[in-house]
Amino acid sequence: MSILDEPSAEGRFGEFGGRFVPETLVPACQELEAAFRDAWADPIFRGDLNQLLGEYAGRPSMLTECHNLGRSLGIRLILKREDLNHTGSHKINNVLGQAMLAKRMGKTRLVAETGAGQHGVASATAAALLGMSCKVYMGAVDVERQSLNVFRMKLLGAEVEAVQSGSRTLKDAVNEAMRDWVATVSETYYCLGSVMGPHPYPWMVREFQRIIGEEAFTQCRELLHGDDPDFVVACVGGGSNAMGIFSGFIDTSTARLIGVEPAGGAAVGRGVPGVVHGMRSYLMQDEHGQVQEAHSISAGLDYPGVGPEHSYLASIGRAEYPTVTDDEVISAFQLMARSEGIIPALECAHAMAWIVREAPKMQGKVVLMNLSGRGDKDVGQMMEILG
Amino acid sequence: MTFGRMETEFRAKREQGRKLLVPYVTGGLTGWQQAIRAAADAGADAIEIGIPFSDPVMDGPVIQEASQRALDAGVTPLSIFEEARELEVGIPLAVMCYYNTIHHAGHERFAYQLVSAGISAAIVPDLPLEESGLWCAAADAAGIETVMLAAPTAPDERLPRIAARSRGFLYSVGLLGVTGERLSLAASATALAKRLKAVTDVPVLVGVGVSNAAQAREACMVADGVIQGASVVRRLMDGGPEAVGEYVAEVRAAITF
Ligand SMILES: Cc1ncc(COP(=O)(O)O)c(C=O)c1O
């Protein structure tokens, strides 16, 4: 069995995943699963989505080889440029798929959670394009540190609610979006932003993000004259950009798959299996099963859980989940800007930070990194940090 | 089939024409034990003890705040069980807890902890039928009654399956939404209770959005009883245990036909 197959009927990847939702949402999840299955098998839906991805989002995204950094690190460093997509990150791939599905299901309203605001911006964008209303829940802490994206969402016509409960970050935004969905389930589509949540979301979002890996695999074969990269590296919040790029290499190559988590939000590294947000997965929790607050410089990775496919990949040893510190990320962010003229999102600066740290052990190797987003949104926060 | 303590008592009381009243109290909240005693004295038939959780997705602002206060005060599931053991109120106790609390403790261990705390039943709002197998097996073995929830969104074919798996009573979710007080009883509350009564003889209690005595009376026109959550917890936070007792007495009077 390949992990790229469908999960089990219960939505399990190994012992992870499932559908742990309030009874009110069970029929909605079942309906969504059926609708996605139907749409995904429909060549017209696939064709329409591909057209949007090409003409609106700007796919395929290109590969860029970083000659300056590669030379100084002693590796071949290749970037998959998801930062160049419309709205500035990989999130648009998933959102266009889900928004088209919502429309097909006759829903008129999107709700979404967001951490860094990239998923919120993508959702607001798709809602504007497809003529739906959109409400985005964002932790109050993140509203502060990603204020540029808050204003972008408002410009796009979305309503943004600052969530004041709990740790006031991504985890609490998910709670609030789920509460909204429970109350408005007949007209509302919950546009989840990562490979997490109850079945079918982890599977569906991975399918929508798979295009990153499929493109990258072919592009690498061309660039590397038939070879594959030795390492495929991506940052992991919920894990959608990582699952997207890993998908192209899990079965087809022997590349080492590296999902980089923030030290303060290391679900795989420091978590034990738990159940929150509809899924069983690795989760940072205290001795009584209370979910712990994550702490990361990056709003998009400030999440104590992780998508169930990553828990599964970790449990079978097909992918590794190391961590990097905020300080390493700040250095990598600046290094990338100065040596390559590319300002990365703080999220994927985590992937870069791991590469910089581990480069001495990877001399002469080919490293493919998913540059999941651009750093414009982080410039204000970095201005404060760097003074 | 032999019934557990709560279901046995509920069926007997229903037989006598009594409507069932289950107030919800957040465990560990200041005054919670006195509030439970006051509620029992004022005519409650069972008490639902909320186990505070960091991520209560089925709860609205009032119960969220109560949970947060309890967590900030260092309350844990075990500290609540310790204190629950001292209650001795003469009516059955149930816990309302999110599934991770059980999952983290381990199914068998959690069931055992409930039994040793003198708790009869468990309500787990994020554990739907399809995921309930492991917990229900452990609970059944320990003699803990697992109350299942049914929601207005369920298609007809789903309701008998939920009812068949429910022990103690069947929780009929009153509206589409989270716990909290509403101005009026949603039409869905009586509609779902009616659908459930048609397919099961397990006692059907309406909870979520039953916000005052008049709404409780309205729900009890169809259902076998009500669960009162946010309206009780708000009174405990604002007025203390006596306010809870007065309120429960008022609801009891309203549902005595
Ligand atoms: C640019 C970017 N990368 C990564 C992430 C993390 O999400 P995921 O792990 O689902 O890719 C975010 C989330 O906000 C993001 O904006």
Side-chain angles (χ1 to χ4, degrees):
Chain A
M1 199 200 89
S2 160
I3 188 177
L4 296 178
D5 292 342
E6 273 184 35
S8 73
E10 300 78 34
R12 292 283 202 285
F13 302 89
E15 53 179 305
F16 301 101
R19 184 180 278 158
F20 297 88
V21 291
E23 174 60 27
T24 306
L25 294 179
V26 171
C29 288
Q30 290 170 339
E31 184 199 358
L32 175 60
E33 182 187 343
F36 171 65
R37 221 174 263 289
D38 181 68
W40 210 227
D42 177 355
I44 296 175
F45 180 87
R46 300 286 286 254
D48 290 350
L49 177 57
N50 281 335
Q51 189 172 355
L52 263 191
L53 288 170
E55 294 173 5
Y56 189 71
R59 300 210 73 86
S61 68
M62 63 191 188
L63 292 189
T64 297
E65 177 153 8
C66 297
H67 295 286
N68 300 335
L69 261 177
R71 204 174 306 119
S72 64
L73 294 172
I75 59 175
R76 258 190 102 171
L77 178 61
I78 300 163
L79 303 179
K80 176 67 173 161
R81 299 294 303 275
E82 294 299 304
D83 62 320
L84 297 180
N85 297 338
H86 179 45
T87 70
S89 80
H90 69 294
K91 298 284 183 187
I92 194 77
N93 306 329
N94 167 43
V95 164
L96 288 176
Q98 288 201 55
M100 277 184 51
L101 183 60
K103 193 97 186 163
R104 188 179 160 106
M105 293 171 73
K107 306 287 181 183
T108 53
R109 175 174 182 265
L110 295 183
V111 295
E113 83 295 338
T114 197
Q118 288 302 108
H119 175 63
V121 166
S123 299
T125 299
L129 179 69
L130 299 180
M132 287 185 271
S133 74
C134 181
K135 177 154 186 182
V136 180
Y137 292 94
M138 188 170 187
V141 170
D142 299 336
V143 166
E144 275 296 306
R145 58 180 163 173
Q146 305 274 262
S147 57
L148 182 75
N149 271 345
V150 175
F151 191 64
R152 284 171 82 194
M153 289 184 261
K154 288 181 179 165
L155 277 176
L156 292 159
E159 185 190 344
V160 181
E161 185 168 320
V163 176
Q164 300 291 350
S165 58
S167 55
R168 298 183 295 141
T169 56
L170 182 53
K171 151 178 109 67
D172 311 282
V174 176
N175 290 340
E176 214 49 47
M178 287 187 80
R179 291 182 185 117
D180 182 315
W181 193 28
V182 167
T184 60
V185 61
S186 50
E187 71 272 12
T188 295
Y189 182 96
Y190 181 16
C191 185
L192 233 164
S194 193
V195 285
M196 45 168 283
H199 181 52
Y201 284 102
W203 168 51
M204 175 173 72
V205 176
R206 181 250 278 164
E207 291 297 293
F208 285 140
Q209 291 292 5
R210 236 171 124 152
I211 192 162
I212 303 174
E214 284 166 358
E215 285 174 8
F217 178 77
T218 316
Q219 290 166 321
C220 281
R221 283 267 161 113
E222 197 164 312
L223 181 72
L224 304 171
H225 308 293
D227 274 349
D228 299 323
D230 300 300
F231 293 83
V232 177
V233 188
C235 64
V236 175
S240 66
N241 87 87
M243 268 323 292
I245 198 155
F246 288 179
S247 295
F249 299 90
I250 288 178
D251 287 342
T252 51
S253 80
T254 54
R256 276 174 66 185
L257 308 177
I258 313 288
V260 184
E261 294 194 290
V268 180
R270 282 183 37 212
V272 293
V275 176
V276 79
H277 297 157
M279 61 183 172
R280 181 175 193 275
S281 200
Y282 283 112
L283 178 67
M284 286 168 48
Q285 43 192 319
D286 73 8
E287 61 190 299
H288 306 289
Q290 305 295 354
V291 181
Q292 283 179 325
E293 297 181 4
H295 293 287
S296 166
I297 188 175
S298 136
L301 305 187
D302 215 344
Y303 184 66
V306 67
E309 290 155 285
H310 288 292
S311 293
Y312 178 63
L313 285 177
S315 73
I316 62 171
R318 180 64 187 97
E320 301 153 63
Y321 296 86
T323 63
V324 294
T325 65
D326 285 354
D327 286 342
E328 289 174 308
V329 171
I330 293 168
S331 305
F333 180 92
Q334 294 169 276
L335 180 68
M336 205 161 176
R338 289 190 194 154
S339 22
E340 295 294 338
I342 294 173
I343 299 179
L346 273 173
E347 287 75 25
C348 42
H350 284 67
M352 193 66 229
W354 181 85
I355 293 169
V356 171
R357 189 178 74 203
E358 301 298 315
K361 295 179 215 155
M362 303 191 286
Q363 291 299 296
K365 302 287 188 199
V366 181
V367 180
L368 172 67
M369 173 185 140
N370 198 16
L371 187 64
S372 58
R374 55 178 178 248
D376 308 32
K377 68 185 178 59
D378 301 312
V379 167
Q381 192 186 346
M382 288 306 283
M383 245 161 70
E384 278 179 24
I385 291 171
L386 299 174
Chain B
M1 181 165 137
T2 57
F3 301 119
R5 174 182 176 194
M6 189 159 70
E7 188 159 347
T8 305
E9 288 190 19
F10 277 18
R11 282 175 179 264
K13 286 179 170 179
R14 178 175 63 180
E15 202 67 25
Q16 294 156 11
R18 179 181 169 96
K19 293 295 179 178
L20 302 160
L21 175 54
V22 181
Y24 169 104
V25 175
T26 300
L29 192 61
T30 306
W32 76 285
Q33 289 173 294
Q34 295 95 307
I36 287 176
R37 293 200 181 94
D41 290 344
D45 298 297
I47 303 289
E48 185 179 331
I49 299 171
I51 307 294
F53 181 54
S54 52
D55 295 84
V57 287
M58 263 305 282
D59 287 306
V62 169
I63 294 181
Q64 277 181 48
E65 192 196 329
S67 300
Q68 195 58 52
R69 279 196 202 178
L71 288 174
D72 291 345
V75 167
T76 69
L78 290 179
S79 73
I80 292 172
F81 296 155
E82 292 272 303
E83 292 176 32
R85 207 169 294 140
E86 303 156 5
L87 280 171
E88 293 179 5
V89 281
I91 52 174
L93 303 175
V95 290
M96 200 297 288
C97 66
Y98 286 89
Y99 180 56
N100 197 51
T101 306
I102 298 177
H103 183 272
H104 192 79
H107 298 104
E108 278 77 22
R109 193 152 73 101
F110 193 79
Y112 172 78
Q113 287 169 351
L114 293 184
V115 171
S116 12
I119 290 164
S120 307
I123 303 165
V124 194
D126 56 348
L127 192 67
L129 191 59
E130 289 77 3
E131 300 286 1
S132 65
L134 287 176
W135 162 248
C136 286
D140 288 352
I144 294 293
E145 299 166 87
T146 301
V147 174
M148 301 301 287
L149 294 93
T153 48
D156 284 337
E157 64 77 28
R158 192 171 170 81
L159 298 181
R161 291 191 288 128
I162 294 173
R165 185 46 258 183
S166 204
R167 305 283 181 272
F169 65 90
L170 178 55
Y171 196 124
S172 179
V173 177
L175 47 74
L176 295 183
V178 295
T179 59
E181 294 168 272
R182 311 293 200 284
L183 287 177
S184 59
L185 189 71
S188 56
T190 43
L192 179 63
K194 209 172 282 170
R195 288 169 68 204
L196 290 170
K197 291 291 291 174
V199 298
T200 183
D201 71 341
V202 178
V204 173
L205 275 69
V206 180
V208 183
V210 186
S211 317
N212 56 40
Q215 291 180 26
R217 184 180 172 85
E218 198 183 335
C220 284
M221 297 289 184
V222 179
D224 298 313
V226 288
I227 299 134
Q228 302 254 279
S231 58
V232 172
V233 172
R234 179 173 57 78
R235 281 173 175 82
L236 176 54
M237 290 196 289
D238 294 351
E242 307 79 51
V244 171
E246 283 164 26
Y247 176 60
V248 171
E250 182 196 337
V251 178
R252 167 51 66 200
I255 62 172
T256 304
F257 292 96

